[in-house]
Amino acid sequence: MPKDSTQNGVSRRQYLAATGAVGAAGLAGCAGGGGGGDGSDGSDGTTTGSSGDEIGGTVTVFSGTEYVDSGMVEALHEAGVPDSITIEMVVPPADSGSKQQQLRTAINAEESDPDLVLTDNGWTIPFIVRDDLVNLEEEMDEEFIARVKDEGVQSMINTGTHPETGDLYSVPVFPDYPVITYRKDLLRDAGYGDSDFETWQTDPPTWTEFSGIVAEAQSGSDVEYGHLWQGNDYIGLACCTFNEFLTSMGGAFFGGEDNLFGPIGDRPVTLDTEESIDGIEAAVDIIHGEGLSPMDIQGVSPTEVAGWIEPDTKSTFEAGDAVTQRNWTYTVGGAVTAFEDTDMELGVMPLPQGPNGSWHAQGGWIMSMNPYTDNMESAKEVIKAWWEDSALQHQFDSANYMPPKPSLFSYVEESDTYGPYFEALQYSAENLIPRPTTSVWPNQRTVVANEVNAALRQEQTPQEAATAMQERISAIEEQA
């Protein structure tokens, strides 16, 4: 992919222009078009929505722990949600797959709660094509829909849009992608310095170099672990960590990015190619160091990573028990806080490079509405307020979630927490690889996670894992 373009549909020039041109106009959206702009206060104290229906009551939001007691409810009211509406943040399971299943159960039972839900951008489209979410384009005013499409990160807009009709079903809440957080203090002790740290922000080391750096730093320290990442048999292995190894080594699920979203049954399955097998071998080597991959990758990850997900590695790294960690951007803020008043010094870099470069899984969450909500007018007010700059800035300040608008990237660059690492964040954002989100991906990702995890645990060889994935995923394609 050319370095002057981004997977988000924003050129490097546009990205930099956006980060430098917000200024006073950045908060203009708060003055008009906010959550309460379409409502009116009647003489009897009631409030009506754009359809003329009264709004009020409780709107439940399937969000997460980061939104509880964070001031987000107050920020949404300040952004336009009428006082007649009570917003309740509900904490779902931490694992994305479990959250998906809980939402599926609620919709199958036609439950009215939650009214709104943050859905993973990787599994929203299957809900959309089954009409299991509200078509916002049919229910919300054209001006708001046009604002979202114009102002949002395009790749996130795409993940909330019906692939055939082009209608918008979900509004971006925050994009996410992984980076490497590392202990600068340990690397300094191993002989690396500021010039290395600066170079790595925009020219990350290869997997060979990276594993050597981690091995050196760990051998000269008393930390228990080297490099941490998420290798459990779960959704995150298929969509993200394996996808990153796969793509950096030159492999692909379906022959390349052009085929990620279909056509189902009429695209090549390429998980048994030499390059795709290299991707499995690289993941195995960084745990076991057996020299399987064409790159010389040392075994610097503990065997435990084959059973870990994001909270496991986050807590371990923040406790100072590892040299490096692969995790999402929000964990940068967590590490900054954890390292305060300690001798630990934080560094951030993009993911290591393979023969095909440095690639980062496209993650993030989008706001969707339950089709069985019994409080649609009030839920719409919450969605509109959440899109206001002031609410998104509060979300970033309180939960470390990136804003879903390029016009707010300068807010990240100016942040005391994220500003020092902005070059690394920008590089990672410019080198994103989506997951193959289609109606059959939920079944296919289970296959990928099962087979790759078995290879990580050395229950089968990378070749055996590749062969099994090739056969099983091909069968799913043919039956679709």
Side-chain angles (χ1 to χ4, degrees):
M1 183 186 71
K3 294 297 180 183
D4 62 352
S5 66
T6 78
Q7 293 286 0
N8 289 336
V10 180
S11 72
R12 183 178 179 87
R13 185 179 298 106
Q14 289 171 321
Y15 186 105
L16 295 174
T19 61
V22 178
L27 299 177
C30 296
D38 292 328
S40 61
D41 294 325
S43 58
D44 61 355
T46 62
T47 305
T48 58
S50 56
S51 67
D53 295 335
E54 291 185 10
I55 56 178
T58 298
V59 174
T60 55
V61 185
F62 221 29
S63 54
T65 56
E66 296 81 6
Y67 291 102
V68 178
D69 300 326
S70 68
M72 190 65 187
V73 170
E74 292 77 8
L76 290 169
H77 281 294
E78 291 174 4
V81 175
D83 292 338
S84 59
I85 298 174
T86 299
I87 305 170
E88 180 181 349
M89 299 292 181
V90 180
V91 179
D95 171 61
S96 179
S98 299
K99 184 173 183 178
Q100 178 187 10
Q101 184 55 48
Q102 192 163 332
L103 176 62
R104 161 64 42 223
T105 300
I107 290 176
N108 287 345
E110 299 185 6
E111 296 178 1
S112 60
D113 285 334
D115 299 288
L116 298 173
V117 59
L118 269 65
T119 55
D120 190 323
N121 83 115
W123 47 252
T124 304
I125 285 180
F127 279 83
I128 290 174
V129 298
R130 290 191 300 261
D131 287 327
D132 284 341
L133 300 172
V134 171
N135 184 340
L136 299 181
E137 204 140 338
E138 293 180 349
E139 301 294 343
M140 303 190 73
D141 63 83
E142 293 181 5
E143 181 181 358
F144 175 74
I145 296 297
R147 279 187 56 206
V148 173
K149 290 184 174 182
D150 181 61
E151 298 171 355
V153 173
Q154 189 58 51
S155 63
M156 297 204 72
I157 299 295
N158 294 343
T159 60
T161 298
H162 195 294
E164 295 177 3
T165 68
D167 285 353
L168 186 71
Y169 281 67
S170 308
V171 173
V173 173
F174 64 92
D176 215 350
Y177 47 87
V179 291
I180 298 291
T181 50
Y182 63 94
R183 292 271 304 274
K184 275 187 179 180
D185 54 300
L186 298 182
L187 268 62
R188 290 189 193 280
D189 292 342
Y192 299 92
D194 290 335
S195 62
D196 299 301
F197 307 147
E198 180 64 28
T199 297
W200 294 339
Q201 288 204 63
T202 55
D203 184 18
T206 66
W207 285 109
T208 298
E209 295 166 340
F210 175 77
S211 62
I213 292 166
V214 174
E216 288 180 75
Q218 185 181 10
S219 66
S221 72
D222 59 358
V223 298
E224 185 174 0
Y225 301 117
H227 176 55
L228 305 182
W229 54 285
Q230 301 78 39
N232 198 2
D233 183 356
Y234 80 124
I235 184 174
L237 176 60
C239 75
C240 305
T241 47
F242 171 61
N243 197 4
E244 292 155 5
F245 280 109
L246 177 73
T247 309
S248 73
M249 297 300 290
F253 287 107
F254 300 104
E257 190 171 346
D258 291 344
N259 299 320
L260 284 178
F261 307 116
I264 301 169
D266 192 25
R267 55 184 174 172
V269 178
T270 53
L271 284 163
D272 64 349
T273 65
E274 181 179 351
E275 293 81 4
S276 294
I277 296 171
D278 290 344
I280 307 173
E281 291 174 341
V284 171
D285 275 351
I286 205 161
I287 298 175
H288 303 286
E290 295 192 347
L292 300 175
S293 78
M295 303 187 76
D296 183 14
I297 301 175
Q298 297 186 48
V300 291
S301 294
T303 56
E304 289 94 328
V305 299
W308 282 353
I309 63 175
E310 286 83 352
D312 303 312
T313 62
K314 181 178 184 291
S315 60
T316 302
F317 181 76
E318 289 178 1
D321 291 335
V323 178
T324 62
Q325 172 194 209
R326 175 266 180 216
N327 214 325
W328 303 96
T329 52
Y330 69 86
T331 63
V332 173
V336 168
T337 300
F339 286 11
E340 288 178 354
D341 302 321
T342 73
D343 294 330
M344 297 185 289
E345 184 183 3
L346 181 66
V348 178
M349 70 171 84
L351 268 61
Q353 299 187 61
N356 193 42
S358 168
W359 291 91
H360 307 72
Q362 176 185 309
W365 294 78
I366 52 186
M367 181 70 72
S368 305
M369 188 184 297
N370 180 357
Y372 299 104
T373 176
D374 56 6
N375 202 1
M376 181 179 290
E377 287 301 314
S378 296
K380 285 155 61 174
E381 296 298 316
V382 174
I383 291 176
K384 288 188 289 185
W386 211 306
W387 191 247
E388 292 303 306
D389 288 358
S390 61
L392 295 173
Q393 288 171 338
H394 179 86
Q395 175 182 260
F396 173 71
D397 291 336
S398 62
N400 298 312
Y401 290 149
M402 297 288 116
K405 299 181 182 181
S407 63
L408 291 180
F409 291 164
S410 63
Y411 193 73
V412 177
E413 186 175 13
E414 295 164 4
S415 161
D416 290 339
T417 300
Y418 283 80
Y421 315 111
F422 187 73
E423 284 189 293
L425 294 170
Q426 178 174 286
Y427 180 99
S428 300
E430 292 175 347
N431 292 272
L432 299 181
I433 181 67
R435 67 200 76 179
T437 307
T438 64
S439 59
V440 297
W441 175 239
N443 291 332
Q444 292 176 336
R445 76 176 186 223
T446 300
V447 173
V448 173
N450 289 167
E451 301 298 343
V452 173
N453 182 261
L456 298 181
R457 295 180 183 277
Q458 295 190 305
E459 295 170 358
Q460 64 180 352
T461 67
Q463 176 66 68
E464 290 169 339
T467 299
M469 284 193 289
Q470 181 73 19
E471 294 175 353
R472 295 175 66 187
I473 290 179
S474 295
I476 293 171
E477 290 279 307
E478 293 169 3
Q479 294 167 7

